[in-house]
Amino acid sequence: MGVLNVTPDSFSDGGHWLDVHLAVAHGLAMVEAGADLVDVGGESTRPGAQRVAPDEELSRVMPVIEGLLERGVVVSIDTMWAATARAAVEAGAVIVNDVSGGLADPAMLETVARLGTPYVAMHWRGHSDTMQELSDYDDVVSEVVSELAERRQAAIDAGIDPRALVLDPGLGFAKEPSHNWALLRQFDRLLALGHPVLVGASRKRFLGELLAEGGVPRAMSGRDVATDAVTALAAAAGAWCVRVHDVAGSRDAVRVAAAWLRG
Ligand code: PMM
């Protein structure tokens, strides 16, 4: 899954793809590089980011989604708003990717159930302005697994087909680096929930901190090789999907993992 943030402020690619033509061209380039789908989002979730209203979000994402669909690209919509999810799916997007797992907009789960699309429910504890204060865990893996199981139940209760449900540990969302590594280390416990698992590690802060020199985190531009390593390990551990910026590197990493598993 290639990342396409149509935002002025995303931590990784904010401000790069505000021009519709550039955004569509970048989406096509990611497909060319091997992405099976492009995840279009119009709201930054970086720590401290402000909310974006549905109208503003729609005006950012819809022209890009339409441009990609016209060119045959498979699109997912990264949104916490039910109205945006509905408009994107009605235009032809095939997956709703909700970083709040249905917690941000009370209408989301029922809307997705009615639309009948696959749904990615990510582990989330609160909006970006508060999430750094929400990273208290006694046992991060058990708590994330049980909170994801609650979201799964809420989705099923709302009418979402369990076979259409994808779960995501939400790396970096109300999580310190050690929490992210614990979740990756115990990937089998996420898989044991019985759903495909999506991993979004690409260029995140915990990779920058891992690669820090002299206490200075590695810059975003230097995190793709580490991202590719996470991709290889996550794919070998059984991940269904990785959400990444540098598609070519992750594509190679997925091939390595597949060959390793076949070997
Ligand atoms: N991370 C970001 C945005 N959307 N969606 C899912 N399912 N999982 C993630 O980990 C995730 C996401 C934030 O990263 P970005 O600013 O690079 O898009």
Side-chain angles (χ1 to χ4, degrees):
M1 173 188 273
V3 178
L4 189 52
N5 290 317
V6 195
T7 63
D9 57 344
S10 283
F11 83 92
S12 50
D13 56 352
H16 289 193
W17 316 119
L18 282 173
D19 176 274
V20 175
H21 298 288
L22 285 180
V24 171
H26 183 60
L28 289 170
M30 290 194 288
V31 170
E32 190 73 18
D36 293 318
L37 72 163
V38 172
D39 190 41
V40 181
E43 175 173 355
S44 169
T45 51
R46 72 185 295 162
Q50 295 300 307
R51 296 287 342 254
V52 173
D55 282 356
E56 168 68 16
E57 188 180 51
L58 275 171
S59 72
R60 290 179 185 178
V61 296
M62 289 309 291
V64 176
I65 290 175
E66 282 157 8
L68 290 171
L69 290 168
E70 270 167 27
R71 289 160 182 83
V73 175
V74 180
V75 169
S76 58
I77 173 69
D78 184 347
T79 184
M80 290 183 267
W81 291 117
T84 303
R86 188 182 327 110
V89 170
E90 283 170 355
V94 293
I95 297 181
V96 175
N97 173 26
D98 175 6
V99 299
S100 83
L103 288 169
D105 183 341
M108 180 62 101
L109 297 178
E110 267 126 51
T111 299
V112 172
R114 240 176 292 122
L115 292 166
T117 54
Y119 178 65
V120 180
M122 198 192 81
H123 178 263
W124 182 89
R125 283 186 160 183
H127 286 291
S128 303
D129 53 347
T130 58
M131 73 178 172
Q132 278 165 316
E133 296 139 40
L134 301 171
S135 58
D136 247 1
Y137 301 90
D138 290 325
D139 173 349
V140 64
V141 180
S142 298
E143 286 169 60
V144 168
V145 166
S146 85
E147 288 167 32
L148 276 176
E150 281 169 25
R151 300 323 303 152
R152 184 243 320 257
Q153 197 53 51
I156 293 170
D157 290 347
I160 296 178
D161 184 341
R163 290 168 306 177
L165 206 50
V166 175
L167 299 178
D168 180 334
L171 301 178
F173 286 80
K175 288 168 200 86
E176 292 304 319
S178 63
H179 299 139
N180 298 330
W181 292 117
L183 287 159
L184 290 168
R185 174 74 181 95
Q186 297 189 52
F187 204 76
D188 53 334
R189 294 187 56 200
L190 297 166
L191 292 174
L193 286 163
H195 296 270
V197 175
L198 188 151
V199 172
S202 190
R203 296 183 183 168
K204 284 188 177 166
R205 176 172 65 93
F206 75 115
L207 298 177
E209 293 194 4
L210 177 78
L211 304 171
E213 311 258 358
V216 181
R218 175 78 61 83
M220 197 88 62
S221 57
R223 300 178 188 170
D224 281 337
V225 176
T227 300
D228 300 342
V230 173
T231 292
L233 292 164
W240 169 73
C241 182
V242 287
R243 181 181 179 281
V244 297
H245 305 85
D246 167 39
V247 169
S250 274
R251 176 93 198 287
D252 287 355
V254 164
R255 285 173 166 165
V256 168
W260 183 293
L261 291 175
R262 275 196 309 271

